[in-house]
Amino acid sequence: MKKFEYKIEKIKPTLGMMKLKFDFVEMESMLTGYGLKGWELVGAEKDTTPSGQEFFILFLKREVSES
């Protein structure tokens, strides 16, 4: 039976040109790094805090070897 471990990452926006924005190039680089370590993105959600700040929650998994 396959076994997996999971990781949850919260991605906050950065300040750029007087407004908050997401750096998708940086996010792509981060996800590529995780992928090279065996992590697979299995889901993503965009959410908002009560104060109105948006952020992404990324759900990743990777298979673990059976010992």
Side-chain angles (χ1 to χ4, degrees), residues 48-62:
T48 308
T49 65
S51 64
Q53 184 180 9
E54 295 180 326
F55 60 93
F56 282 102
I57 301 173
L58 307 178
F59 302 93
L60 302 108
K61 77 172 187 178
R62 71 176 169 186

Side-chain angles (χ1 to χ4, degrees), residues 15-20:
L15 184 59
M17 301 300 254
M18 303 199 318
K19 69 177 186 173
L20 293 173

Side-chain angles (χ1 to χ4, degrees), residues 1-66:
M1 173 188 281
K2 290 184 179 182
K3 294 182 181 180
F4 298 94
E5 65 179 323
Y6 298 89
K7 178 183 267 309
I8 299 172
E9 286 287 330
K10 182 177 181 180
I11 308 298
K12 297 177 184 176
T14 57
L15 184 59
M17 301 300 254
M18 303 199 318
K19 69 177 186 173
L20 293 173
K21 65 176 188 167
F22 290 97
D23 185 341
F24 292 106
V25 172
E26 184 179 319
M27 288 174 62
E28 184 178 281
S29 177
M30 180 197 71
L31 287 170
T32 298
Y34 279 130
L36 292 172
K37 294 176 184 173
W39 291 100
E40 176 183 2
L41 180 67
V42 294
E45 294 286 330
K46 190 173 181 184
D47 203 355
T48 308
T49 65
S51 64
Q53 184 180 9
E54 295 180 326
F55 60 93
F56 282 102
I57 301 173
L58 307 178
F59 302 93
L60 302 108
K61 77 172 187 178
R62 71 176 169 186
E63 190 172 347
V64 292
S65 60
E66 295 188 38

